[in-house]
Amino acid sequence: MDKRYEVFCLADRHFYETTARLAAPSAQAAVRFDPAQRPVPSGWRGTFHGDWYHLTPQDAELPAQGWKIHVSACLDNAEKTAAKVWEYCVPRAIPFKFIPSGQQLFLRNSKYAARATSGKFVTIYPADEDQLEAVLAELGSLLAGEPGPYILTDLRWQDGPLYVRYGGFAPRYCPDADGALVPAIENREGQLVPDPKDPVFRVPDWVTLPAFLEPQLAARAATTTGDLPYRIESALHFSNGGGVYRGTDTRTGEQVVLKEARPHAGLAADGADAVTRLEREKKALEQVAGLGVAPAVRDWFTLGEHRFLVMDHLPGRTLNSFFAARHPLLGPRPDPAALADYTRWALRVHRLVEEAVAAVHSRGVVFNDLHMFNIMVSPDEQSVQLLDFEAAAHIDEHRRQIVAHPGFVAPADRTGFAIDHYALACLRLALFIPLTTLLAIDRAKAAHLARTVAGQFPDLPTEFLDEAVTEIVGRDRPSPAAPHPVPVAVADWPRSRESMTAAILSSATPDRDDRLFPGDIAQFTSGGGLGLAHGAAGVLYALAETGCDRYPEGEQWLLRQAAAPPHGTPPGLYDGLLGVAYVLDRLGHTEAALDLTERVLTEQWQRLGPALYGGLAGVGLVLDHFAHTTGDPALRTHAVDAARLAAERVGKAPRHPGLLHGHTGPALLFLRLYERTGDKALLDQAAAALRADLAGCVERADGTLVVADGVRTLPYVGVGSVGIAMVLDDYLAHRADPEFERARAAILPAAYSRFYAQPGLFRGRAGMVLHLSRTTTPQSDATAQLDAQIAGLDWYAMSYRGQLAFPGEQMMRLSMDLGTGTAGCLLALAAAHHEPVGLPFLPPSARPDHSPTPVQGS
């Protein structure tokens, strides 16, 4: 699970939302710190931007980069810290910015906040190294003794709350190794290079550390684990609160787990920092000691201000890891015997978990955070133990849940042991179809999930599911048999199209500047609300392609935002400006589209990586499109240049083989240029690019070809093998190739699985619907497989304002965007019903007629 998404669930119950729009839990939290309410000093500019309040002298000429100072603070000393910084910097005309409210500072320091930004309360921009040294000495003296979270990216000044790092002052961007646009600094040759912000202090190799910082670096290096009686061997997990490590007790040779807590960091909902929670975990483990259902405490120590708890290492595997290895719905046609065997196994595991929880309750302890990642199954699968007791508390403490998995978090009306009983009910569903994160949107979905489980696992006792639904929805709620209020079946076309369109339009917010339609959290990065993958352009494209009525207000929003896009908006097809230009042209706004294209051509687009999503393949396709529609030879030249550069870079192995981020995107560019020119060398380049991506695929046990991604395998359109197969289909329309024929046939079953974790177009079931709708791969049961995948979209169907909508990435909130949400499902379903639609530059192919089976009444 991607923990970044949890913080975007705080501000809205239906959609991922920026925390800037979070309704404060109290009037005090809503109030900005006093310095953020002061009048702007004469001769200064004061501006609120994102999480920051910037104060800059009007005549200041800042360098583009250099040594910056960060000031750390806790919630209870932040206001006075900001005041001292103000009173120091303003008389000296030193620019600075700070987090303006306690609420925003809390979120920045919360448990699953980004480790690279945690602790950064104030940023100060010294003019040079002399001023840097003066500020550290003088302001450091003024703030001596003030506590704050340690800033992992920086070098600490002495033992106070001031830290330094070398980085950019002005917002500048360049492509990283994958071609994505990232913050940049200038190297000694004057070239822009990525400004890394991972949680490690580093000095660029062309920069010399000032002499007055050398003692601080030596002090940092002096804190090591060398004197501990434990050898740390690997990191199991990181959060903003610290790490969890596997190690060995060098005195005994036994394996142990060391859990680290950073003071003042990793704040939970009740304000408890990581150290406080680790103290609670130690206490809870001691309360349940001897039961055999939790690791035993071995040691407790402090190293470099960080607190460590040492526990027994539990052999076995966490329950979530069994899904990929054992679950029978990962194939297209589960064997009835395998379904029955899995049912028996899951029922036994659930009983073991119930017994472990009951044992914990017998000591008066509420576990408070039960989910599949916190359950360890023994190697012989005959017992289970519980992990991660940091949220656990004795029932007499009457403590609410402060951290919990979103698919198992109890509603506010559950307290004490009822919190764990709710999680056990969710586990009954999740063991069979792990979609309980949908309950975070609407608990009434439980009844629908239970019926879906029953339909897939016929040997499962009815009462097992009925009891789960009753516990989840509450005993005063409707009967478990009550239908989930989804307004229309997905397969009921065109009624489902009308309902999805209504849901999308009813979610629009044309009064906002940052986004028009709610979607993925990527919307809240530079320009994310505009683009094709996650922004307004993608939704308007899907609406237009599927024959919906025009949405003039939305088109005007996109025109207005595209005329002055946010600084740092990428230039690419799916992530940026050229995708917007392509959609504007599709909607008839050709002049604005060409203006936007000219803007991109003035940037350093040639330095992008080769990929389709944000790189040269997408750039070349859009430029070729406009060269064809306008007849402009300069655009043709640029398109050819993009293809040449992409071909030169295809030899480098991508991190993510597939359509969006791999070499299949350049293959698509070469293929479309071949269709335009007839140059067979382009076909050769397309073949080479496709082979490069196929080399990143592996065969599953059943022979299905999927992309290898570490311990996972990926079948999807955006980042998996099915996206490769879509371009293989188009290549084979021009040139026979037995290797490619075998590959696309081996990929096809990847689109037949009974279960996919998400509905989205790029990383879920809707992508399978799109592929099955357009593929020319010979198949004997195409209609049945397409029907099954369309019906499977009902598993995720939700109601928004009485209309049909779908959840986005991580399944905790609804999404309307193309890549992860409702617009993508709409596009895929239209393709399945033989509407002439497809993704940009992947139109419908000439294929046999495999129409979906009409539903009753359609």
Side-chain angles (χ1 to χ4, degrees), residues 26 43 59 87 90 144 220-221 241 302 435 491 543 555 598 648 683 710 720 739 767 773 790 824 853:
S26 69
D59 57 354
E87 289 150 12
V90 169
R220 177 187 177 104
T302 299
L435 300 179
L543 293 174
E555 294 177 30
E598 287 299 318
E648 292 172 358
L683 268 186
E739 177 191 351
S773 301
I790 292 173
T853 302

Side-chain angles (χ1 to χ4, degrees), residues 224-263:
T224 72
T225 60
D227 294 333
L228 295 177
Y230 307 104
R231 182 175 62 251
I232 295 177
E233 292 160 347
S234 63
L236 301 176
H237 171 70
F238 283 109
S239 75
N240 189 29
V244 181
Y245 309 93
R246 177 186 288 117
T248 298
D249 187 326
T250 57
R251 299 162 297 188
T252 65
E254 295 174 300
Q255 283 194 306
V256 295
V257 171
L258 298 90
K259 191 167 185 178
E260 172 194 28
R262 299 174 55 220

Side-chain angles (χ1 to χ4, degrees), residues 477-496:
R477 298 294 180 91
S479 159
H484 178 64
V486 175
V488 58
V490 171
D492 191 359
W493 191 266
R495 288 183 62 224
S496 59

Side-chain angles (χ1 to χ4, degrees), residues 117-140:
T117 57
S118 176
K120 295 177 182 177
F121 173 55
V122 181
T123 306
I124 301 171
Y125 300 97
D128 52 35
E129 289 186 9
D130 289 339
Q131 191 171 70
L132 170 72
E133 184 176 15
V135 174
L136 289 172
E138 296 166 2
L139 186 60

Side-chain angles (χ1 to χ4, degrees), residues 3-4 6-7 10 105-116 118 152 237-244 259-262 264-275 277-278 281 369 371 374 387-391 402-405:
K3 293 295 185 180
R4 295 177 305 157
E6 291 192 27
V7 72
L10 298 175
L105 181 60
F106 167 79
L107 292 171
R108 177 167 285 258
N109 290 335
S110 63
K111 180 176 180 180
Y112 291 113
R115 298 168 70 221
S118 176
L152 297 172
H237 171 70
F238 283 109
S239 75
N240 189 29
V244 181
K259 191 167 185 178
E260 172 194 28
R262 299 174 55 220
H264 315 302
L267 304 181
D270 64 349
D273 71 351
V275 172
R277 294 200 315 279
L278 196 62
E281 179 162 15
D369 191 20
H371 57 80
N374 280 353
L387 304 173
D388 197 354
F389 276 72
E390 71 173 48
I402 57 170
V403 290
H405 186 288

Side-chain angles (χ1 to χ4, degrees), residues 557-620:
W557 186 95
L558 187 59
L559 285 165
R560 185 170 62 252
Q561 297 302 116
H567 189 78
T569 302
L573 171 59
Y574 278 102
D575 66 345
L577 299 178
L578 284 177
V580 175
Y582 179 80
V583 172
L584 287 175
D585 182 58
R586 165 71 177 79
L587 296 172
H589 305 291
T590 300
E591 183 177 352
L594 292 173
D595 288 345
L596 201 53
T597 302
E598 287 299 318
R599 176 194 288 268
V600 171
L601 291 174
T602 64
E603 300 179 6
Q604 295 182 339
W605 59 268
Q606 297 91 341
R607 296 183 61 191
L608 296 171
L612 180 68
Y613 187 85
L616 291 165
V619 170

Side-chain angles (χ1 to χ4, degrees), residues 250-600:
T250 57
R251 299 162 297 188
T252 65
E254 295 174 300
Q255 283 194 306
V256 295
V257 171
L258 298 90
K259 191 167 185 178
E260 172 194 28
R262 299 174 55 220
H264 315 302
L267 304 181
D270 64 349
D273 71 351
V275 172
T276 300
R277 294 200 315 279
L278 196 62
E279 290 169 345
R280 292 172 178 173
E281 179 162 15
K282 176 176 177 288
K283 178 181 177 182
L285 287 172
E286 290 170 344
Q287 288 173 326
V288 301
L291 293 174
V293 296
V297 173
R298 283 175 169 257
D299 202 354
W300 177 251
F301 64 87
T302 299
L303 178 66
E305 299 185 10
H306 293 200
R307 194 67 56 82
F308 285 82
L309 172 66
V310 184
M311 300 169 282
D312 284 344
H313 173 266
L314 300 181
R317 296 161 57 191
T318 54
L319 183 54
N320 66 292
S321 70
F322 282 86
F323 188 83
R326 185 186 289 271
H327 204 281
L329 297 189
L330 296 182
R333 301 177 186 85
D335 179 14
L339 290 170
D341 180 65
Y342 181 85
T343 299
R344 287 190 293 271
W345 178 85
L347 289 171
R348 178 167 51 82
V349 167
H350 190 273
R351 176 179 51 78
L352 291 171
V353 176
E354 283 185 316
E355 292 171 355
V357 171
V360 170
H361 288 181
S362 73
R363 297 283 176 88
V365 174
V366 182
F367 187 58
N368 267 330
D369 191 20
L370 183 71
H371 57 80
M372 294 209 288
F373 292 78
N374 280 353
I375 299 168
M376 180 68 77
V377 181
S378 65
D380 63 4
E381 300 181 18
Q382 299 303 308
S383 63
V384 301
Q385 291 180 287
L386 305 181
L387 304 173
D388 197 354
F389 276 72
E390 71 173 48
H394 196 277
I395 193 167
D396 292 341
E397 296 180 43
H398 305 290
R399 195 183 305 153
R400 288 288 309 141
Q401 282 184 296
I402 57 170
V403 290
H405 186 288
F408 293 79
V409 62
D413 61 354
R414 312 302 165 88
T415 60
F417 297 142
I419 293 172
D420 292 342
H421 294 151
Y422 179 90
L424 285 166
C426 292
L427 184 62
R428 292 189 181 209
L429 301 179
L431 276 166
F432 294 93
I433 295 183
L435 300 179
T436 55
T437 49
L438 295 177
L439 305 180
I441 307 170
D442 184 358
R443 277 191 287 144
K445 182 69 175 178
H448 183 236
L449 288 178
R451 289 199 304 276
T452 303
V453 170
Q456 300 297 318
F457 294 89
D459 295 327
L460 192 58
T462 301
E463 61 272 16
F464 182 82
L465 297 174
D466 287 348
E467 291 168 3
V469 175
T470 299
E471 181 65 45
I472 290 168
V473 302
R475 299 184 183 279
D476 57 342
R477 298 294 180 91
S479 159
H484 178 64
V486 175
V488 58
V490 171
D492 191 359
W493 191 266
R495 288 183 62 224
S496 59
R497 171 175 61 190
E498 295 164 0
S499 190
M500 283 183 279
T501 302
I504 289 170
L505 294 178
S506 69
S507 75
T509 54
D511 56 313
R512 290 177 58 162
D513 291 333
D514 58 339
R515 60 109 161 127
L516 176 59
F517 299 103
D520 192 69
I521 66 173
Q523 291 188 328
F524 303 115
T525 58
S526 295
L530 274 67
L532 192 56
H534 304 299
V539 178
L540 293 174
Y541 173 82
L543 293 174
E545 288 289 295
T546 55
C548 301
D549 292 339
R550 297 287 288 267
Y551 177 39
E553 192 173 9
E555 294 177 30
Q556 289 303 311
W557 186 95
L558 187 59
L559 285 165
R560 185 170 62 252
Q561 297 302 116
H567 189 78
T569 302
L573 171 59
Y574 278 102
D575 66 345
L577 299 178
L578 284 177
V580 175
Y582 179 80
V583 172
L584 287 175
D585 182 58
R586 165 71 177 79
L587 296 172
H589 305 291
T590 300
E591 183 177 352
L594 292 173
D595 288 345
L596 201 53
T597 302
E598 287 299 318
R599 176 194 288 268
V600 171

